[in-house]
Amino acid sequence: MLFLFNDTITEIDAPEIHLLRRASYLGCDDPHGLRARDAIALATAAVSACLADGRLPGAALIADLAALIISKTGANAALFPIHGTTASEPRLTILPETILEALRDQIALEGTLPDMRAIWPLAA
């Protein structure tokens, strides 16, 4: 399953299994017990921790957060507004797989990042 994390596309096979394997890296003892609101708070805190350290989330963390968000909310896209060194609660949506595939292909072929202003207003 493809997932859009800000301007990064990642592919997660079996998100629930991925989450079970990697929950401890997110600081989650019981992924089954998480509610959607808890998962969003955990993801926001993880992104904010990266920003506070002066770095952007890496590929492994993005994959872990994607698995968490997919598993707990069903969303396949998350936009985390970034304000300095903190992230706000993400805006979640479900985008058609064809849009995500087109974005992935654009990034791979052209090396350009997608224009999020064109995608997110249409996703609401």
Side-chain angles (χ1 to χ4, degrees):
M1 173 178 218
L2 292 176
F3 188 89
L4 175 64
F5 180 95
N6 284 358
D7 59 2
T8 302
I9 301 271
T10 189
E11 188 159 0
I12 303 297
D13 295 324
E16 291 80 10
I17 293 171
H18 181 104
L19 178 59
L20 287 173
R21 288 184 182 152
R22 302 275 303 169
S24 63
Y25 292 98
L26 291 172
C28 175
D29 295 328
D30 179 20
H32 291 295
L34 281 179
R35 302 178 95 171
R37 171 73 47 206
D38 300 327
I40 292 168
L42 183 62
T44 303
V47 173
S48 290
C50 285
L51 296 173
D53 288 344
R55 58 188 172 84
L56 294 174
L61 180 58
I62 289 173
D64 294 347
L65 295 176
L68 174 68
I69 292 169
I70 292 166
S71 297
K72 296 300 171 180
T73 70
N76 68 355
L79 174 65
F80 286 85
I82 296 174
H83 307 283
T85 60
T86 61
S88 297
E89 184 174 291
R91 180 175 173 194
L92 304 177
T93 194
I94 299 171
L95 293 171
E97 191 79 9
T98 54
I99 290 176
L100 295 176
E101 289 170 354
L103 290 172
R104 180 192 58 200
D105 294 345
Q106 175 187 351
I107 293 168
L109 293 174
E110 300 173 13
T112 59
L113 297 176
D115 181 7
M116 291 297 114
R117 293 172 298 179
I119 296 166
W120 281 100
L122 300 175

